[in-house]
Amino acid sequence: MSKQAQIKAVRGMNDILPSQSSLWLEVERVCANVFSRNGYQQIRTPIIESTHLFARSIGSDTDIVSKEMYTFDDRNGDSLTLRPEGTACVVRAGIENGLFYNQQQRLWYTGPMFRHERPQKGRYRQFHQVGVECYGWTTPDIEAEVLSMVSQVFKALGLTRTELQINSLGDADTRERYRAALVEYLSGYKDKLDEDSQRRLSTNPLRILDSKNQDVQALLEEAPSILDFLSERSVESFSRLQRYLQALDIAFTVNPRLVRGLDYYNDTVFEFINAEFGAQSTVCGGGRYDRMVEQLGGKPTPGFGFGMGLERLIQILQEQDAPISRQTSAPDVYLVSVGDLAREQALQLQVALVQAGHSVQCFMGDGSMKNQFKRADKSAAALALIVGEQEAEAQTVSIKPLRRTKTPLEQQTVAQKDVANIVTNLLESL
Ligand code: HAM
């Protein structure tokens, strides 16, 4: 019989293995805590949406819509797309469920997103975002609140060396006038532009500001700045945001060339960048999008939010060797038991210990005492609990410390009914 070809994961889509998942859980827990303490509620939307949703909101000239979406016809012939981002989905859900009706909303979400990009470090075809979206505020105080939450998350995770860049894209009129000025300036150097930028000159000129090409970046040094085209209202709002950030002690730089890869933004846009991380250095990006709700059929409602890439965040934490990245999944207690009566009692003890808030691993299957102790050591548990045949008869359990402790702990034998309390006290004293 010929050997079957091994089936592999789809290119650019990763398994999150047990050795990684405790860090993922911890990062997600920190985000959920920060968001809920700031008064944000979670929203969960489907992973698949109607294709029109993204074409109408993200912009048909963007890379995402023009070449990166996973789009397919389902069995009814409807065109569906695996979500490439969360914002349009939240807006769709909000309109459909009346969340924007005379209400303000502070929402957050987490989950996988899909983009058919060329995979490399920090860039995948399935990746995960946590995101925040707020609806109903036109003022920059909400922007400061949202940016402050990102900074709270980074602080709680111990992430350092991340730089916040902000910019204002103004209103539609500003961008129209700026686009014309930029096109006029760059048209004078058309032959110096790379192929991509030449194409963008007619399709999406603002995206040229984002070019990674060194020669193009050099040309842009002298290009007009969007900040000189802002209306009085946009200038005022942008400087209020900067005052709030200063009051919150959040360092930032104004980067007039910061544009985003999605077309729906107006006024404030921002990115948190970790320069040491290489080409895919943006950990978190977002901004204001006051037209999207109306564009998707709702009544005009201003929006502001961000998406944070979890793969990038976690890789940076690991590269920086942040204490949180050294998380282990070692249990508090390892239960050793020999004989069937002892195993029965060990299973009961496991329940009692878990209910008391401890993490427990119980040896299963057949194994000598020596063998079980080897496993206990390997588990890196703080304590081994031993129920041998004698202990089982007497309904007792021996407690043996497995790690060196500040004050040496002696092995002791205690009644099984008291073990949960005694373990709690011992673990506290370690
Ligand atoms: P985005 O800039 O396209 O914005 O994505 C946000 C973050 O997701 C990026 O900064 C990056 O960390 C991560 N990310 C994006 N693409 C990939 C990829 N292929 N592989 C790994 N990570 C990736 C948005 O998605 C907007 N929805 C953000 C937003 C929310 N704006 C307003 N509200």
Side-chain angles (χ1 to χ4, degrees):
M1 216 170 65
S2 74
K3 205 171 156 219
Q4 298 273 331
Q6 193 189 345
I7 299 174
K8 299 224 162 121
V10 176
R11 183 165 137 80
M13 307 206 178
N14 301 314
D15 300 307
I16 297 165
L17 297 173
S19 58
Q20 291 283 304
S21 58
S22 51
L23 178 56
W24 275 79
L25 280 168
E26 191 56 19
V27 168
E28 286 161 350
R29 195 188 58 77
V30 165
C31 293
N33 257 341
V34 167
F35 301 154
S36 67
R37 285 185 192 163
N38 282 281
Y40 285 67
Q41 289 177 300
Q42 199 192 39
I43 182 162
R44 301 186 190 205
T45 64
I47 285 172
I48 298 177
E49 296 274 357
S50 164
T51 303
H52 299 302
L53 174 64
F54 304 112
R56 259 165 66 185
S57 53
I58 299 175
S60 48
D61 289 333
T62 57
D63 284 350
I64 294 180
V65 173
S66 65
K67 53 185 192 201
E68 292 172 0
M69 294 206 302
Y70 281 88
T71 296
F72 59 95
D73 283 352
D74 77 353
R75 287 170 196 276
N76 303 326
D78 296 327
S79 179
L80 304 181
T81 294
L82 288 176
R83 63 179 182 201
E85 61 113 41
T87 313
C89 310
V90 175
V91 169
R92 196 262 318 130
I95 296 171
E96 198 169 333
N97 296 285
L99 300 188
F100 306 139
Y101 224 77
N102 298 328
Q103 297 173 66
Q104 293 171 319
Q105 295 287 351
R106 287 180 164 94
L107 307 173
W108 74 276
Y109 53 89
T110 181
M113 310 288 160
F114 303 84
R115 296 182 194 174
H116 196 276
E117 295 189 81
R118 198 168 50 79
Q120 54 172 267
K121 181 188 170 199
R123 194 208 272 157
Y124 310 102
R125 291 183 173 169
Q126 175 178 296
F127 60 97
H128 297 76
Q129 282 183 350
V130 289
V132 156
E133 313 290 351
C134 305
Y135 299 97
W137 291 273
T138 52
T139 44
D141 44 3
I142 195 74
E143 303 175 0
E145 175 180 288
V146 168
L147 290 167
S148 161
M149 284 203 302
V150 179
S151 131
Q152 289 168 45
V153 165
F154 289 169
K155 237 184 224 142
L157 293 173
L159 187 76
T160 53
R161 303 197 283 278
T162 301
E163 184 197 337
L164 169 61
Q165 296 192 351
I166 59 173
N167 190 20
S168 176
L169 301 178
D171 55 19
D173 178 53
T174 294
R175 281 191 305 284
E176 184 102 348
R177 286 184 297 114
Y178 178 63
R179 195 174 291 127
L182 188 64
V183 169
E184 193 188 324
Y185 171 80
L186 288 173
S187 298
Y189 304 97
K190 207 168 173 182
D191 47 340
K192 291 201 175 142
L193 294 177
D194 61 343
E195 211 178 301
D196 222 27
S197 302
Q198 285 191 6
R199 188 178 46 79
R200 285 186 164 142
L201 203 54
S202 51
T203 56
N204 203 345
L206 261 62
R207 292 292 297 157
I208 299 176
L209 298 179
D210 213 21
S211 169
K212 302 275 182 282
N213 184 303
Q214 300 263 316
D215 299 338
V216 176
Q217 277 301 328
L219 276 180
L220 290 168
E221 295 282 341
E222 301 295 318
S225 160
I226 194 161
L227 297 175
D228 297 329
F229 290 75
L230 296 180
S231 69
E232 218 172 288
R233 189 202 56 80
S234 292
V235 169
E236 206 268 324
S237 176
F238 195 44
S239 55
R240 257 175 81 194
L241 170 64
Q242 294 177 47
R243 282 203 302 279
Y244 294 143
L245 291 176
Q246 277 153 2
L248 287 164
D249 216 10
I250 298 174
F252 63 89
T253 50
V254 175
N255 174 3
R257 279 188 240 154
L258 176 69
V259 282
R260 306 261 306 124
L262 308 101
D263 277 355
Y264 48 63
Y265 295 107
N266 63 278
D267 290 292
T268 305
V269 287
F270 65 90
E271 287 186 350
F272 284 87
I273 293 168
N274 214 281
E276 292 157 44
F277 195 61
Q280 308 303 319
S281 56
T282 307
V283 195
C284 172
R288 177 167 283 287
Y289 52 98
D290 291 342
R291 292 155 304 148
M292 196 197 296
V293 177
E294 193 179 6
Q295 252 167 24
L296 292 175
K299 80 171 181 109
T301 306
F304 186 83
F306 68 76
M308 182 147 71
L310 287 179
E311 280 79 1
R312 289 186 196 177
L313 183 64
I314 284 168
Q315 281 174 28
I316 293 169
L317 286 171
Q318 285 172 329
E319 281 182 20
Q320 293 189 347
D321 199 26
I324 200 171
S325 71
R326 287 179 239 135
Q327 287 266 322
T328 66
S329 48
D332 298 325
V333 170
Y334 195 96
L335 264 165
V336 167
S337 54
V338 180
D340 200 46
L341 180 62
R343 186 59 49 84
E344 196 178 299
Q345 293 173 355
L347 285 163
Q348 292 169 333
L349 287 170
Q350 182 175 24
V351 176
L353 288 160
V354 167
Q355 281 174 349
H358 306 301
S359 58
V360 186
Q361 236 178 70
C362 194
F363 182 90
M364 296 289 159
D366 297 326
S368 65
M369 189 72 93
K370 191 172 158 214
N371 194 311
Q372 295 195 32
F373 263 114
K374 268 195 195 148
R375 295 282 187 90
D377 265 333
K378 218 170 154 198
S379 78
L383 301 172
L385 263 53
I386 306 132
V387 191
E389 277 165 359
Q390 279 178 0
E391 285 94 345
E393 284 301 326
Q395 305 222 336
T396 58
V397 54
S398 295
I399 304 177
K400 182 174 189 280
L402 292 176
R403 282 191 234 139
R404 215 187 294 261
T405 52
K406 275 178 274 168
T407 40
L409 283 179
E410 294 296 315
Q411 179 160 340
Q412 52 180 309
T413 302
V414 304
Q416 288 184 8
K417 64 175 178 36
D418 300 330
V419 80
N421 280 338
I422 293 170
V423 164
T424 304
N425 291 336
L426 282 176
L427 289 172
E428 273 170 13
S429 72
L430 286 184

